[in-house]
Amino acid sequence: MNDLTSVIKETLENGGVLNDLRGKVRAEIFRALEDTSLERPKLPSDNLLINELIREYLAFNNYQNTLSVLMQESRQPHQTLDRNFLCSELHIKSCSTPDVPLMYGIVSHFTEQHSNNCNDVRETDLGDGDSGEEEILRQPEVTIIHK
């Protein structure tokens, strides 16, 4: 019986089903524990922007279970924020490559800035190394305006 249980567990883990179930259970636990009689404070605007960057990143990487828990726990509005609005609020001058999350561009901006300050050379392609072909992630051009 233990062998059968192990085989079933391994099969569910390999197919990703077990992780899906765990994510759904976590979201339901948060929903069940949430006291709806208490009024939660309004989400601060900084949190709204940060959560939106995280939401965009999670959706891009297809982390749907994590995204559902984030949305439930943070009470982020279900309507996504306009990308141009995000760029404006974050003082990002250029919002190119709309198919790639802004977070990639922000990280790239600061790592390149640090790299330039340290005279480092860093790899810009993020290949998985398995296919024999280089896979390049096109990072958005982000120019952050410092005040």
Side-chain angles (χ1 to χ4, degrees):
M1 187 65 159
N2 284 339
D3 290 338
L4 178 61
T5 304
S6 297
V7 169
I8 291 173
K9 182 180 177 186
E10 185 177 327
T11 302
L12 292 174
E13 281 178 347
N14 291 341
V17 174
L18 200 53
N19 284 335
D20 286 347
L21 290 173
R22 286 179 181 142
K24 289 175 183 173
V25 167
R26 283 186 198 107
E28 289 301 319
I29 289 171
F30 282 120
R31 193 172 291 123
L33 293 176
E34 189 174 301
D35 187 353
T36 55
S37 66
L38 297 175
E39 190 173 322
R40 294 179 86 179
K42 187 176 178 182
L43 194 61
S45 60
D46 286 349
N47 286 34
L48 187 69
L49 297 173
I50 291 166
N51 290 345
E52 191 63 30
L53 289 171
I54 294 169
R55 178 203 326 226
E56 186 184 43
Y57 167 81
L58 293 174
F60 177 80
N61 287 290
N62 203 25
Y63 297 149
Q64 296 305 317
N65 298 321
T66 306
L67 179 58
S68 70
V69 172
L70 170 73
M71 297 303 292
Q72 180 64 37
E73 192 172 11
S74 70
R75 291 196 172 215
Q76 182 82 357
H78 289 284
Q79 179 68 32
T80 59
L81 296 177
D82 179 69
R83 189 177 177 99
N84 290 326
F85 173 77
L86 269 176
C87 289
S88 172
E89 290 296 305
L90 296 171
H91 305 287
I92 296 174
K93 186 176 174 182
S94 172
C95 249
S96 65
T97 23
D99 54 329
V100 177
L102 285 172
M103 196 178 298
Y104 284 107
I106 292 168
V107 169
S108 176
H109 170 81
F110 286 107
T111 54
E112 284 176 12
Q113 186 177 47
H114 175 72
S115 178
N116 290 340
N117 289 342
C118 296
N119 294 323
D120 270 343
V121 176
R122 67 180 192 91
E123 291 293 321
T124 56
D125 40 63
L126 304 173
D128 61 5
D130 295 337
S131 65
E133 296 179 6
E134 284 187 1
E135 179 183 320
I136 299 176
L137 176 62
R138 299 279 180 223
Q139 298 179 358
E141 296 284 326
V142 171
T143 304
I144 298 176
I145 304 168
H146 299 282
K147 287 188 173 183

